[in-house]
Amino acid sequence: AQSVTQLGSHVSVSEGALVLLRCNYSSSVPPYLFWYVQYPNQGLQLLLKYTSAATLVKGINGFEAEFKKSETSFHLTKPSAHMSDAAEYFCAVSEYPNAGKSTFGDGTTLTVKP
Amino acid sequence: DTGVSQDPRHKITKRGQNVTFRCDPISEHNRLYWYRQTLGQGPEFLTYFQNEAQLEKSRLLSDRFSAERPKGSFSTLEIQRTEQGDSAMYLCASSLGSEINQPQHFGDGTRLSIL
């Protein structure tokens, strides 16, 4: 069975500071990993995905994530936070063959202070 | 690409009533997924369709829940005899196939509140 743990339900950073959102996964087979962003009263938008190609994955809005198999981690980073990054972020895992059926973490709310 | 559309956006009903939600996926997408999201948690998988066939249902989907996708286009999710615990955001997503290079596109959800 697959599972995801997001460490820290709330993260607060200053504008311009590094953003680091942590995600650890469990999967019995090589996983597919995703990060999504959700703004209030909206659905989820895909930021980036890991598909067993490059371990460093670049996504939209300047975000990137690194797959570390030895640590079973897929942490999300952004060098410089913008006010518009304030939202809830979800890490998700799915397994071959159904890449679409995902198990989500409980989310991390990112607050960006001016 | 007009995106995944869900209707209604909000539904308030009394306990014991039946409710039905609709999801219109992106037109060429053959896979459709339903998730439920409660406050402070991530989405939980409920069920998915490939074309009109319902291929998997989560154990979360009790007998009071039923989903259909006639003709492989739009889908409906019905909850009978609603309970307080059914209050949640119901999210629909669609994709073109199940391959990893075909990501899910989510709708904005239907928020259900049970009085």
mmCIF file of all heavy atoms in Angstrom, chain A residues 27-79:
data_model
loop_
_atom_site.group_PDB
_atom_site.id
_atom_site.type_symbol
_atom_site.label_atom_id
_atom_site.label_comp_id
_atom_site.label_asym_id
_atom_site.label_seq_id
_atom_site.Cartn_x
_atom_site.Cartn_y
_atom_site.Cartn_z
ATOM 1 N N SER A 27 5.910 3.235 -0.643
ATOM 2 C CA SER A 27 5.334 2.561 -1.794
ATOM 3 C C SER A 27 6.034 1.227 -1.986
ATOM 4 O O SER A 27 7.248 1.144 -1.828
ATOM 5 C CB SER A 27 5.490 3.431 -3.050
ATOM 6 O OG SER A 27 5.013 2.753 -4.194
ATOM 7 N N SER A 28 5.273 0.223 -2.339
ATOM 8 C CA SER A 28 5.842 -1.113 -2.507
ATOM 9 C C SER A 28 6.482 -1.300 -3.878
ATOM 10 O O SER A 28 7.200 -2.263 -4.101
ATOM 11 C CB SER A 28 4.753 -2.173 -2.298
ATOM 12 O OG SER A 28 3.687 -1.945 -3.197
ATOM 13 N N VAL A 29 6.223 -0.385 -4.779
ATOM 14 C CA VAL A 29 6.807 -0.422 -6.115
ATOM 15 C C VAL A 29 7.340 0.973 -6.418
ATOM 16 O O VAL A 29 6.999 1.933 -5.722
ATOM 17 C CB VAL A 29 5.756 -0.844 -7.178
ATOM 18 C CG1 VAL A 29 5.239 -2.231 -6.879
ATOM 19 C CG2 VAL A 29 4.629 0.168 -7.246
ATOM 20 N N PRO A 30 8.186 1.092 -7.420
ATOM 21 C CA PRO A 30 8.653 2.438 -7.772
ATOM 22 C C PRO A 30 7.478 3.378 -7.973
ATOM 23 O O PRO A 30 6.559 3.073 -8.726
ATOM 24 C CB PRO A 30 9.425 2.200 -9.071
ATOM 25 C CG PRO A 30 9.929 0.803 -8.941
ATOM 26 C CD PRO A 30 8.840 0.053 -8.219
ATOM 27 N N PRO A 31 7.514 4.502 -7.286
ATOM 28 C CA PRO A 31 6.337 5.369 -7.287
ATOM 29 C C PRO A 31 6.349 6.431 -8.373
ATOM 30 O O PRO A 31 7.381 6.764 -8.932
ATOM 31 C CB PRO A 31 6.444 6.050 -5.924
ATOM 32 C CG PRO A 31 7.935 6.230 -5.763
ATOM 33 C CD PRO A 31 8.555 5.002 -6.399
ATOM 34 N N TYR A 32 5.162 6.953 -8.611
ATOM 35 C CA TYR A 32 5.039 8.237 -9.280
ATOM 36 C C TYR A 32 4.712 9.241 -8.165
ATOM 37 O O TYR A 32 3.897 8.960 -7.293
ATOM 38 C CB TYR A 32 3.888 8.235 -10.288
ATOM 39 C CG TYR A 32 4.007 7.217 -11.386
ATOM 40 C CD1 TYR A 32 2.931 6.397 -11.702
ATOM 41 C CD2 TYR A 32 5.161 7.089 -12.133
ATOM 42 C CE1 TYR A 32 3.007 5.460 -12.725
ATOM 43 C CE2 TYR A 32 5.254 6.159 -13.159
ATOM 44 C CZ TYR A 32 4.179 5.349 -13.449
ATOM 45 O OH TYR A 32 4.266 4.431 -14.453
ATOM 46 N N LEU A 33 5.318 10.395 -8.181
ATOM 47 C CA LEU A 33 5.136 11.382 -7.129
ATOM 48 C C LEU A 33 4.727 12.719 -7.721
ATOM 49 O O LEU A 33 5.183 13.099 -8.798
ATOM 50 C CB LEU A 33 6.424 11.542 -6.317
ATOM 51 C CG LEU A 33 6.820 10.306 -5.506
ATOM 52 C CD1 LEU A 33 8.291 10.359 -5.136
ATOM 53 C CD2 LEU A 33 5.957 10.190 -4.258
ATOM 54 N N PHE A 34 3.881 13.413 -6.989
ATOM 55 C CA PHE A 34 3.328 14.670 -7.479
ATOM 56 C C PHE A 34 3.294 15.702 -6.357
ATOM 57 O O PHE A 34 3.182 15.361 -5.183
ATOM 58 C CB PHE A 34 1.865 14.474 -7.950
ATOM 59 C CG PHE A 34 1.660 13.353 -8.924
ATOM 60 C CD1 PHE A 34 1.493 12.052 -8.481
ATOM 61 C CD2 PHE A 34 1.603 13.602 -10.277
ATOM 62 C CE1 PHE A 34 1.284 11.010 -9.371
ATOM 63 C CE2 PHE A 34 1.392 12.564 -11.188
ATOM 64 C CZ PHE A 34 1.239 11.275 -10.722
ATOM 65 N N TRP A 35 3.367 16.957 -6.743
ATOM 66 C CA TRP A 35 3.017 18.062 -5.873
ATOM 67 C C TRP A 35 1.908 18.866 -6.554
ATOM 68 O O TRP A 35 2.003 19.186 -7.743
ATOM 69 C CB TRP A 35 4.213 18.981 -5.601
ATOM 70 C CG TRP A 35 5.098 18.527 -4.491
ATOM 71 C CD1 TRP A 35 6.286 17.867 -4.577
ATOM 72 C CD2 TRP A 35 4.869 18.738 -3.091
ATOM 73 N NE1 TRP A 35 6.805 17.644 -3.334
ATOM 74 C CE2 TRP A 35 5.965 18.163 -2.396
ATOM 75 C CE3 TRP A 35 3.857 19.357 -2.343
ATOM 76 C CZ2 TRP A 35 6.075 18.191 -1.000
ATOM 77 C CZ3 TRP A 35 3.963 19.383 -0.971
ATOM 78 C CH2 TRP A 35 5.065 18.809 -0.309
ATOM 79 N N TYR A 36 0.880 19.181 -5.733
ATOM 80 C CA TYR A 36 -0.231 20.000 -6.202
ATOM 81 C C TYR A 36 -0.356 21.226 -5.301
ATOM 82 O O TYR A 36 0.005 21.191 -4.114
ATOM 83 C CB TYR A 36 -1.559 19.237 -6.113
ATOM 84 C CG TYR A 36 -1.727 18.103 -7.086
ATOM 85 C CD1 TYR A 36 -1.272 16.830 -6.778
ATOM 86 C CD2 TYR A 36 -2.372 18.294 -8.307
ATOM 87 C CE1 TYR A 36 -1.449 15.776 -7.667
ATOM 88 C CE2 TYR A 36 -2.562 17.247 -9.198
ATOM 89 C CZ TYR A 36 -2.103 15.992 -8.865
ATOM 90 O OH TYR A 36 -2.283 14.953 -9.746
ATOM 91 N N VAL A 37 -0.939 22.287 -5.844
ATOM 92 C CA VAL A 37 -1.266 23.479 -5.068
ATOM 93 C C VAL A 37 -2.778 23.685 -5.117
ATOM 94 O O VAL A 37 -3.412 23.404 -6.148
ATOM 95 C CB VAL A 37 -0.523 24.733 -5.585
ATOM 96 C CG1 VAL A 37 -0.910 25.061 -7.023
ATOM 97 C CG2 VAL A 37 -0.795 25.935 -4.678
ATOM 98 N N GLN A 38 -3.330 24.114 -3.989
ATOM 99 C CA GLN A 38 -4.768 24.375 -3.928
ATOM 100 C C GLN A 38 -5.005 25.731 -3.284
ATOM 101 O O GLN A 38 -4.584 25.977 -2.157
ATOM 102 C CB GLN A 38 -5.488 23.282 -3.127
ATOM 103 C CG GLN A 38 -7.006 23.413 -3.143
ATOM 104 C CD GLN A 38 -7.700 22.281 -2.400
ATOM 105 O OE1 GLN A 38 -7.202 21.784 -1.390
ATOM 106 N NE2 GLN A 38 -8.873 21.860 -2.886
ATOM 107 N N TYR A 39 -5.713 26.598 -4.006
ATOM 108 C CA TYR A 39 -6.120 27.893 -3.465
ATOM 109 C C TYR A 39 -7.523 27.746 -2.898
ATOM 110 O O TYR A 39 -8.269 26.834 -3.281
ATOM 111 C CB TYR A 39 -6.054 28.964 -4.551
ATOM 112 C CG TYR A 39 -4.654 29.186 -5.065
ATOM 113 C CD1 TYR A 39 -4.221 28.583 -6.248
ATOM 114 C CD2 TYR A 39 -3.751 29.961 -4.345
ATOM 115 C CE1 TYR A 39 -2.931 28.753 -6.694
ATOM 116 C CE2 TYR A 39 -2.454 30.141 -4.798
ATOM 117 C CZ TYR A 39 -2.050 29.537 -5.971
ATOM 118 O OH TYR A 39 -0.766 29.700 -6.419
ATOM 119 N N PRO A 40 -7.923 28.629 -1.984
ATOM 120 C CA PRO A 40 -9.227 28.490 -1.320
ATOM 121 C C PRO A 40 -10.385 28.316 -2.298
ATOM 122 O O PRO A 40 -10.484 29.035 -3.292
ATOM 123 C CB PRO A 40 -9.349 29.785 -0.525
ATOM 124 C CG PRO A 40 -7.942 30.181 -0.243
ATOM 125 C CD PRO A 40 -7.164 29.778 -1.463
ATOM 126 N N ASN A 41 -11.224 27.336 -1.999
ATOM 127 C CA ASN A 41 -12.424 27.047 -2.782
ATOM 128 C C ASN A 41 -12.128 26.712 -4.249
ATOM 129 O O ASN A 41 -12.970 26.971 -5.125
ATOM 130 C CB ASN A 41 -13.407 28.218 -2.703
ATOM 131 C CG ASN A 41 -13.898 28.438 -1.296
ATOM 132 O OD1 ASN A 41 -14.294 27.500 -0.617
ATOM 133 N ND2 ASN A 41 -13.848 29.675 -0.839
ATOM 134 N N GLN A 42 -10.967 26.175 -4.485
ATOM 135 C CA GLN A 42 -10.631 25.741 -5.837
ATOM 136 C C GLN A 42 -10.139 24.301 -5.826
ATOM 137 O O GLN A 42 -9.841 23.737 -4.772
ATOM 138 C CB GLN A 42 -9.551 26.650 -6.438
ATOM 139 C CG GLN A 42 -10.013 28.071 -6.703
ATOM 140 C CD GLN A 42 -8.965 28.875 -7.439
ATOM 141 O OE1 GLN A 42 -8.036 28.334 -8.048
ATOM 142 N NE2 GLN A 42 -9.108 30.189 -7.402
ATOM 143 N N GLY A 43 -10.041 23.725 -6.999
ATOM 144 C CA GLY A 43 -9.484 22.383 -7.123
ATOM 145 C C GLY A 43 -7.971 22.412 -7.054
ATOM 146 O O GLY A 43 -7.361 23.431 -6.746
ATOM 147 N N LEU A 44 -7.370 21.283 -7.336
ATOM 148 C CA LEU A 44 -5.920 21.149 -7.251
ATOM 149 C C LEU A 44 -5.281 21.408 -8.610
ATOM 150 O O LEU A 44 -5.800 20.993 -9.644
ATOM 151 C CB LEU A 44 -5.547 19.738 -6.784
ATOM 152 C CG LEU A 44 -5.657 19.464 -5.298
ATOM 153 C CD1 LEU A 44 -7.101 19.392 -4.860
ATOM 154 C CD2 LEU A 44 -4.931 18.170 -4.948
ATOM 155 N N GLN A 45 -4.135 22.068 -8.569
ATOM 156 C CA GLN A 45 -3.377 22.336 -9.787
ATOM 157 C C GLN A 45 -2.027 21.648 -9.673
ATOM 158 O O GLN A 45 -1.329 21.800 -8.664
ATOM 159 C CB GLN A 45 -3.191 23.845 -9.963
ATOM 160 C CG GLN A 45 -2.397 24.227 -11.201
ATOM 161 C CD GLN A 45 -2.163 25.718 -11.318
ATOM 162 O OE1 GLN A 45 -2.504 26.483 -10.408
ATOM 163 N NE2 GLN A 45 -1.594 26.143 -12.415
ATOM 164 N N LEU A 46 -1.647 20.907 -10.691
ATOM 165 C CA LEU A 46 -0.382 20.190 -10.669
ATOM 166 C C LEU A 46 0.792 21.153 -10.769
ATOM 167 O O LEU A 46 0.851 21.982 -11.676
ATOM 168 C CB LEU A 46 -0.337 19.198 -11.835
ATOM 169 C CG LEU A 46 0.918 18.344 -11.949
ATOM 170 C CD1 LEU A 46 1.013 17.365 -10.763
ATOM 171 C CD2 LEU A 46 0.928 17.573 -13.265
ATOM 172 N N LEU A 47 1.719 21.042 -9.816
ATOM 173 C CA LEU A 47 2.955 21.837 -9.849
ATOM 174 C C LEU A 47 4.057 21.102 -10.596
ATOM 175 O O LEU A 47 4.767 21.692 -11.408
ATOM 176 C CB LEU A 47 3.452 22.115 -8.429
ATOM 177 C CG LEU A 47 2.736 23.189 -7.618
ATOM 178 C CD1 LEU A 47 3.325 23.223 -6.207
ATOM 179 C CD2 LEU A 47 2.862 24.546 -8.265
ATOM 180 N N LEU A 48 4.227 19.809 -10.257
ATOM 181 C CA LEU A 48 5.271 19.023 -10.887
ATOM 182 C C LEU A 48 5.041 17.548 -10.588
ATOM 183 O O LEU A 48 4.240 17.206 -9.711
ATOM 184 C CB LEU A 48 6.657 19.460 -10.408
ATOM 185 C CG LEU A 48 6.907 19.606 -8.909
ATOM 186 C CD1 LEU A 48 7.154 18.273 -8.242
ATOM 187 C CD2 LEU A 48 8.084 20.553 -8.650
ATOM 188 N N LYS A 49 5.769 16.687 -11.320
ATOM 189 C CA LYS A 49 5.623 15.251 -11.128
ATOM 190 C C LYS A 49 6.951 14.550 -11.350
ATOM 191 O O LYS A 49 7.776 15.004 -12.153
ATOM 192 C CB LYS A 49 4.573 14.683 -12.085
ATOM 193 C CG LYS A 49 4.926 14.858 -13.558
ATOM 194 C CD LYS A 49 3.819 14.368 -14.470
ATOM 195 C CE LYS A 49 4.209 14.589 -15.945
ATOM 196 N NZ LYS A 49 3.119 14.224 -16.873
ATOM 197 N N TYR A 50 7.153 13.461 -10.635
ATOM 198 C CA TYR A 50 8.325 12.612 -10.795
ATOM 199 C C TYR A 50 7.887 11.326 -11.483
ATOM 200 O O TYR A 50 6.945 10.668 -11.041
ATOM 201 C CB TYR A 50 8.948 12.285 -9.446
ATOM 202 C CG TYR A 50 9.961 11.169 -9.536
ATOM 203 C CD1 TYR A 50 11.215 11.390 -10.102
ATOM 204 C CD2 TYR A 50 9.654 9.889 -9.097
ATOM 205 C CE1 TYR A 50 12.124 10.365 -10.207
ATOM 206 C CE2 TYR A 50 10.561 8.857 -9.193
ATOM 207 C CZ TYR A 50 11.787 9.098 -9.748
ATOM 208 O OH TYR A 50 12.696 8.082 -9.860
ATOM 209 N N THR A 51 8.619 10.970 -12.551
ATOM 210 C CA THR A 51 8.198 9.824 -13.343
ATOM 211 C C THR A 51 9.317 8.812 -13.537
ATOM 212 O O THR A 51 9.277 8.026 -14.462
ATOM 213 C CB THR A 51 7.743 10.290 -14.733
ATOM 214 O OG1 THR A 51 8.883 10.850 -15.416
ATOM 215 C CG2 THR A 51 6.660 11.324 -14.639
ATOM 216 N N SER A 52 10.324 8.816 -12.692
ATOM 217 C CA SER A 52 11.485 7.914 -12.733
ATOM 218 C C SER A 52 12.503 8.324 -13.789
ATOM 219 O O SER A 52 13.391 7.540 -14.091
ATOM 220 C CB SER A 52 11.069 6.454 -12.962
ATOM 221 O OG SER A 52 10.724 6.229 -14.308
ATOM 222 N N ALA A 53 12.373 9.504 -14.322
ATOM 223 C CA ALA A 53 13.409 10.019 -15.211
ATOM 224 C C ALA A 53 14.403 10.793 -14.335
ATOM 225 O O ALA A 53 15.036 10.224 -13.485
ATOM 226 C CB ALA A 53 12.793 10.883 -16.296
ATOM 227 N N ALA A 54 14.534 12.060 -14.517
ATOM 228 C CA ALA A 54 15.458 12.867 -13.718
ATOM 229 C C ALA A 54 14.986 12.944 -12.276
ATOM 230 O O ALA A 54 13.792 13.064 -12.006
ATOM 231 C CB ALA A 54 15.554 14.266 -14.302
ATOM 232 N N THR A 55 15.933 12.886 -11.338
ATOM 233 C CA THR A 55 15.547 12.942 -9.918
ATOM 234 C C THR A 55 15.241 14.356 -9.468
ATOM 235 O O THR A 55 14.530 14.545 -8.484
ATOM 236 C CB THR A 55 16.659 12.360 -9.032
ATOM 237 O OG1 THR A 55 17.876 13.067 -9.301
ATOM 238 C CG2 THR A 55 16.860 10.882 -9.322
ATOM 239 N N LEU A 56 15.773 15.357 -10.164
ATOM 240 C CA LEU A 56 15.427 16.742 -9.861
ATOM 241 C C LEU A 56 14.391 17.193 -10.882
ATOM 242 O O LEU A 56 14.651 17.221 -12.076
ATOM 243 C CB LEU A 56 16.664 17.637 -9.921
ATOM 244 C CG LEU A 56 16.449 19.106 -9.555
ATOM 245 C CD1 LEU A 56 15.955 19.238 -8.108
ATOM 246 C CD2 LEU A 56 17.740 19.899 -9.760
ATOM 247 N N VAL A 57 13.219 17.526 -10.372
ATOM 248 C CA VAL A 57 12.094 17.853 -11.244
ATOM 249 C C VAL A 57 11.756 19.335 -11.111
ATOM 250 O O VAL A 57 11.602 19.841 -10.008
ATOM 251 C CB VAL A 57 10.855 17.018 -10.864
ATOM 252 C CG1 VAL A 57 9.702 17.325 -11.811
ATOM 253 C CG2 VAL A 57 11.178 15.539 -10.881
ATOM 254 N N LYS A 58 11.655 19.985 -12.232
ATOM 255 C CA LYS A 58 11.277 21.409 -12.227
ATOM 256 C C LYS A 58 9.811 21.534 -12.608
ATOM 257 O O LYS A 58 9.316 20.825 -13.505
ATOM 258 C CB LYS A 58 12.142 22.201 -13.189
ATOM 259 C CG LYS A 58 13.614 22.236 -12.778
ATOM 260 C CD LYS A 58 14.427 23.178 -13.632
ATOM 261 C CE LYS A 58 15.899 23.136 -13.238
ATOM 262 N NZ LYS A 58 16.084 23.579 -11.830
ATOM 263 N N GLY A 59 9.115 22.441 -11.897
ATOM 264 C CA GLY A 59 7.699 22.616 -12.161
ATOM 265 C C GLY A 59 7.369 24.050 -12.508
ATOM 266 O O GLY A 59 8.236 24.841 -12.863
ATOM 267 N N ILE A 60 6.098 24.360 -12.348
ATOM 268 C CA ILE A 60 5.649 25.708 -12.674
ATOM 269 C C ILE A 60 5.912 26.662 -11.506
ATOM 270 O O ILE A 60 6.161 26.218 -10.377
ATOM 271 C CB ILE A 60 4.153 25.722 -13.022
ATOM 272 C CG1 ILE A 60 3.298 25.270 -11.831
ATOM 273 C CG2 ILE A 60 3.874 24.866 -14.253
ATOM 274 C CD1 ILE A 60 1.808 25.443 -12.043
ATOM 275 N N ASN A 61 5.876 27.945 -11.807
ATOM 276 C CA ASN A 61 6.001 28.996 -10.790
ATOM 277 C C ASN A 61 7.316 28.939 -10.011
ATOM 278 O O ASN A 61 7.371 29.421 -8.884
ATOM 279 C CB ASN A 61 4.822 28.951 -9.803
ATOM 280 C CG ASN A 61 3.479 29.115 -10.491
ATOM 281 O OD1 ASN A 61 3.403 29.636 -11.599
ATOM 282 N ND2 ASN A 61 2.427 28.658 -9.847
ATOM 283 N N GLY A 62 8.354 28.365 -10.605
ATOM 284 C CA GLY A 62 9.667 28.364 -9.972
ATOM 285 C C GLY A 62 9.895 27.278 -8.942
ATOM 286 O O GLY A 62 10.921 27.253 -8.265
ATOM 287 N N PHE A 63 8.939 26.370 -8.783
ATOM 288 C CA PHE A 63 9.097 25.281 -7.822
ATOM 289 C C PHE A 63 9.887 24.121 -8.421
ATOM 290 O O PHE A 63 9.861 23.895 -9.639
ATOM 291 C CB PHE A 63 7.716 24.759 -7.385
ATOM 292 C CG PHE A 63 7.012 25.661 -6.413
ATOM 293 C CD1 PHE A 63 6.105 26.612 -6.865
ATOM 294 C CD2 PHE A 63 7.261 25.562 -5.055
ATOM 295 C CE1 PHE A 63 5.458 27.456 -5.970
ATOM 296 C CE2 PHE A 63 6.607 26.391 -4.156
ATOM 297 C CZ PHE A 63 5.714 27.341 -4.613
ATOM 298 N N GLU A 64 10.590 23.399 -7.567
ATOM 299 C CA GLU A 64 11.244 22.177 -7.969
ATOM 300 C C GLU A 64 11.232 21.187 -6.815
ATOM 301 O O GLU A 64 11.006 21.571 -5.664
ATOM 302 C CB GLU A 64 12.668 22.427 -8.469
ATOM 303 C CG GLU A 64 13.609 23.000 -7.458
ATOM 304 C CD GLU A 64 14.989 23.242 -8.074
ATOM 305 O OE1 GLU A 64 15.070 23.625 -9.262
ATOM 306 O OE2 GLU A 64 15.992 23.034 -7.359
ATOM 307 N N ALA A 65 11.460 19.918 -7.125
ATOM 308 C CA ALA A 65 11.471 18.885 -6.096
ATOM 309 C C ALA A 65 12.516 17.853 -6.471
ATOM 310 O O ALA A 65 12.772 17.599 -7.646
ATOM 311 C CB ALA A 65 10.101 18.237 -5.963
ATOM 312 N N GLU A 66 13.117 17.254 -5.446
ATOM 313 C CA GLU A 66 14.148 16.245 -5.670
ATOM 314 C C GLU A 66 13.712 14.912 -5.101
ATOM 315 O O GLU A 66 13.348 14.818 -3.921
ATOM 316 C CB GLU A 66 15.472 16.662 -5.040
ATOM 317 C CG GLU A 66 16.604 15.695 -5.376
ATOM 318 C CD GLU A 66 17.959 16.200 -4.918
ATOM 319 O OE1 GLU A 66 18.008 17.209 -4.196
ATOM 320 O OE2 GLU A 66 18.961 15.549 -5.285
ATOM 321 N N PHE A 67 13.738 13.884 -5.940
ATOM 322 C CA PHE A 67 13.404 12.529 -5.510
ATOM 323 C C PHE A 67 14.654 11.887 -4.912
ATOM 324 O O PHE A 67 15.697 11.800 -5.570
ATOM 325 C CB PHE A 67 12.913 11.713 -6.700
ATOM 326 C CG PHE A 67 12.719 10.254 -6.408
ATOM 327 C CD1 PHE A 67 11.669 9.833 -5.605
ATOM 328 C CD2 PHE A 67 13.566 9.291 -6.943
ATOM 329 C CE1 PHE A 67 11.472 8.487 -5.332
ATOM 330 C CE2 PHE A 67 13.391 7.950 -6.675
ATOM 331 C CZ PHE A 67 12.327 7.542 -5.871
ATOM 332 N N LYS A 68 14.539 11.451 -3.651
ATOM 333 C CA LYS A 68 15.651 10.774 -2.989
ATOM 334 C C LYS A 68 15.148 9.409 -2.530
ATOM 335 O O LYS A 68 14.471 9.300 -1.501
ATOM 336 C CB LYS A 68 16.174 11.592 -1.814
ATOM 337 C CG LYS A 68 16.881 12.871 -2.236
ATOM 338 C CD LYS A 68 17.517 13.571 -1.042
ATOM 339 C CE LYS A 68 18.297 14.811 -1.477
ATOM 340 N NZ LYS A 68 18.933 15.509 -0.340
ATOM 341 N N LYS A 69 15.527 8.389 -3.278
ATOM 342 C CA LYS A 69 15.024 7.047 -2.990
ATOM 343 C C LYS A 69 15.500 6.559 -1.624
ATOM 344 O O LYS A 69 14.740 5.947 -0.868
ATOM 345 C CB LYS A 69 15.479 6.077 -4.084
ATOM 346 C CG LYS A 69 14.953 4.665 -3.922
ATOM 347 C CD LYS A 69 15.400 3.788 -5.060
ATOM 348 C CE LYS A 69 14.886 2.363 -4.878
ATOM 349 N NZ LYS A 69 15.323 1.479 -5.998
ATOM 350 N N SER A 70 16.764 6.840 -1.288
ATOM 351 C CA SER A 70 17.329 6.347 -0.034
ATOM 352 C C SER A 70 16.616 6.939 1.177
ATOM 353 O O SER A 70 16.557 6.328 2.240
ATOM 354 C CB SER A 70 18.811 6.663 0.033
ATOM 355 O OG SER A 70 19.012 8.064 -0.021
ATOM 356 N N GLU A 71 16.066 8.141 1.000
ATOM 357 C CA GLU A 71 15.367 8.806 2.095
ATOM 358 C C GLU A 71 13.855 8.716 1.934
ATOM 359 O O GLU A 71 13.126 9.253 2.772
ATOM 360 C CB GLU A 71 15.794 10.274 2.161
ATOM 361 C CG GLU A 71 17.283 10.465 2.436
ATOM 362 C CD GLU A 71 17.690 11.928 2.425
ATOM 363 O OE1 GLU A 71 16.802 12.808 2.354
ATOM 364 O OE2 GLU A 71 18.904 12.194 2.477
ATOM 365 N N THR A 72 13.400 8.094 0.878
ATOM 366 C CA THR A 72 11.961 8.043 0.500
ATOM 367 C C THR A 72 11.329 9.425 0.645
ATOM 368 O O THR A 72 10.270 9.592 1.261
ATOM 369 C CB THR A 72 11.172 6.996 1.319
ATOM 370 O OG1 THR A 72 11.236 7.305 2.707
ATOM 371 C CG2 THR A 72 11.709 5.612 1.064
ATOM 372 N N SER A 73 12.004 10.409 0.063
ATOM 373 C CA SER A 73 11.517 11.778 0.184
ATOM 374 C C SER A 73 11.339 12.433 -1.171
ATOM 375 O O SER A 73 11.942 12.026 -2.169
ATOM 376 C CB SER A 73 12.477 12.609 1.035
ATOM 377 O OG SER A 73 13.699 12.815 0.342
ATOM 378 N N PHE A 74 10.515 13.445 -1.174
ATOM 379 C CA PHE A 74 10.243 14.222 -2.389
ATOM 380 C C PHE A 74 9.885 15.635 -1.934
ATOM 381 O O PHE A 74 8.761 16.086 -2.069
ATOM 382 C CB PHE A 74 9.108 13.578 -3.183
ATOM 383 C CG PHE A 74 8.902 14.137 -4.569
ATOM 384 C CD1 PHE A 74 9.926 14.143 -5.501
ATOM 385 C CD2 PHE A 74 7.659 14.621 -4.964
ATOM 386 C CE1 PHE A 74 9.736 14.638 -6.783
ATOM 387 C CE2 PHE A 74 7.453 15.119 -6.250
ATOM 388 C CZ PHE A 74 8.495 15.130 -7.152
ATOM 389 N N HIS A 75 10.855 16.343 -1.385
ATOM 390 C CA HIS A 75 10.619 17.668 -0.822
ATOM 391 C C HIS A 75 10.499 18.729 -1.914
ATOM 392 O O HIS A 75 11.211 18.695 -2.916
ATOM 393 C CB HIS A 75 11.746 18.053 0.134
ATOM 394 C CG HIS A 75 11.939 17.096 1.267
ATOM 395 N ND1 HIS A 75 10.908 16.347 1.803
ATOM 396 C CD2 HIS A 75 13.062 16.764 1.967
ATOM 397 C CE1 HIS A 75 11.373 15.600 2.781
ATOM 398 N NE2 HIS A 75 12.670 15.823 2.911
ATOM 399 N N LEU A 76 9.635 19.680 -1.671
ATOM 400 C CA LEU A 76 9.362 20.772 -2.621
ATOM 401 C C LEU A 76 10.097 22.022 -2.181
ATOM 402 O O LEU A 76 10.046 22.376 -0.997
ATOM 403 C CB LEU A 76 7.859 21.049 -2.671
ATOM 404 C CG LEU A 76 7.373 22.129 -3.650
ATOM 405 C CD1 LEU A 76 7.509 21.650 -5.092
ATOM 406 C CD2 LEU A 76 5.930 22.515 -3.339
ATOM 407 N N THR A 77 10.767 22.683 -3.116
ATOM 408 C CA THR A 77 11.492 23.910 -2.778
ATOM 409 C C THR A 77 11.231 25.003 -3.806
ATOM 410 O O THR A 77 10.851 24.735 -4.947
ATOM 411 C CB THR A 77 13.008 23.672 -2.692
ATOM 412 O OG1 THR A 77 13.468 23.205 -3.971
ATOM 413 C CG2 THR A 77 13.366 22.661 -1.621
ATOM 414 N N LYS A 78 11.447 26.229 -3.337
ATOM 415 C CA LYS A 78 11.432 27.394 -4.210
ATOM 416 C C LYS A 78 12.419 28.392 -3.614
ATOM 417 O O LYS A 78 12.366 28.668 -2.413
ATOM 418 C CB LYS A 78 10.039 28.008 -4.311
ATOM 419 C CG LYS A 78 9.982 29.213 -5.256
ATOM 420 C CD LYS A 78 8.561 29.703 -5.461
ATOM 421 C CE LYS A 78 8.550 30.893 -6.417
ATOM 422 N NZ LYS A 78 7.179 31.378 -6.715
ATOM 423 N N PRO A 79 13.353 28.900 -4.402
ATOM 424 C CA PRO A 79 14.420 29.735 -3.840
ATOM 425 C C PRO A 79 13.913 31.015 -3.175
ATOM 426 O O PRO A 79 14.464 31.449 -2.166
ATOM 427 C CB PRO A 79 15.292 30.065 -5.062
ATOM 428 C CG PRO A 79 14.960 29.030 -6.078
ATOM 429 C CD PRO A 79 13.540 28.666 -5.848
#
